[in-house]
């Protein structure tokens, strides 16, 4: 789903005309809805996975509202389906990540070994989400949280199946690969001017490695 949405973002950059009656952001929103409906109809996603994706969507939209008003990034184009400066297709970017995680967990029959205690992971996640908002006002704890993530999951492995064969990967490597894919998506999104970080208004520059 994320790949299709990124493809649509790139295609509309080159094909869309500002004089057309349908805004580019609105077309992306309708495309994202249609993609989700097709995935459910074709049983590429289950309804249980769709509920997880909906949580990602709602959480992501709330994050977008906060970050846009904090000046972290902006959406420069107009749109009817745009609320508080945030086009509603943006929530589907988060939902696509949720869709990816939910689907590969099922398709590759993922299992974990050396997984840390659940209450520790809960505290880590809570700290990450809190810092996402509070670092605009108080000390940024992301490097401390990064170190805590490494220490907590250093011995954790994910076991997955491809056809009849099972494989193992350090979970930290899996985290890095997911983050790398999202960083590439950030570069695609900003290159196509679907959203912009400060300093990109007058010309595209690669998204900083700090985002990775």
């Amino acid at each position: 789903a994320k790949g299709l949405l990124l493809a649509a973002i790139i295609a509309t950059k080159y094909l869309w005309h500002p004089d057309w009656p349908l805004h580019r952001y609105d077309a992306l929103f309708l495309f994202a809805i249609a993609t989700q409906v097709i995935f459910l109809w074709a049983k590429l996603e289950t309804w249980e996975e769709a509920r997880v994706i909906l949580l990602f969507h709602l959480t992501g939209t709330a994050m977008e509202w906060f970050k846009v008003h904090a000046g972290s990034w902006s959406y420069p184009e107009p749109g009817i389906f745009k609320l508080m400066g945030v086009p509603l297709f943006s929530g589907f970017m988060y939902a696509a990540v949720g869709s990816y995680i939910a689907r590969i967990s099922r398709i590759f029959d993922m299992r974990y070994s050396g997984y840390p205690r659940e209450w520790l992971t809960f505290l880590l996640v809570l700290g990450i989400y809190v810092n996402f908002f509070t670092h605009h006002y108080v000390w940024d704890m992301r490097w401390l949280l990064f170190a805590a993530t490494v220490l907590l999951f250093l011995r954790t492995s994910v076991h997955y199946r491809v056809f009849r064969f099972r494989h193992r990967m350090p979970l930290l490597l899996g985290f890095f690969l997911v983050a790398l894919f999202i960083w590439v998506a950030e570069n695609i999104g900003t290159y196509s001017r679907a959203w912009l970080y400060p300093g990109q208004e007058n010309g595209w520059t690669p998204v900083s490695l700090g985002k990775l």
Side-chain angles (χ1 to χ4, degrees), residues 42-116:
K43 300 188 183 330
L44 295 173
E45 288 175 351
T46 67
W47 284 102
E48 183 179 358
E49 289 167 352
R51 286 193 291 270
V52 174
I53 293 165
L54 178 61
L55 289 176
F56 270 84
H57 190 291
L58 295 175
T59 304
T61 301
M63 288 178 168
E64 287 287 318
W65 285 334
F66 178 86
K67 285 294 189 177
V68 166
H69 285 84
S72 297
W73 56 79
S74 63
Y75 292 91
E77 298 181 24
I80 296 174
F81 297 108
K82 193 175 182 181
L83 186 61
M84 297 170 59
V86 175
L88 297 184
F89 86 85
S90 66
F92 283 93
M93 298 297 292
Y94 292 84
V97 175
S99 171
Y100 168 75
I101 293 172
R103 291 192 70 216
I104 65 168
S105 295
R106 171 172 54 87
I107 292 171
F108 294 113
D109 187 25
M110 289 186 169
R111 299 290 185 268
Y112 301 89
S113 61
Y115 203 84

Side-chain angles (χ1 to χ4, degrees), residues 31 33-45:
F31 175 84
I33 291 178
T35 301
Q36 186 63 66
V37 170
I38 291 171
F39 271 45
L40 288 171
W41 173 78
K43 300 188 183 330
L44 295 173
E45 288 175 351

Side-chain angles (χ1 to χ4, degrees), residues 11-33:
T12 54
K13 168 182 169 58
Y14 294 104
L15 298 176
W16 218 258
H17 196 281
D19 294 334
W20 288 357
L22 183 66
H23 295 297
R24 179 191 179 200
Y25 285 167
D26 298 332
L28 290 171
F29 175 64
L30 296 175
F31 175 84
I33 291 178

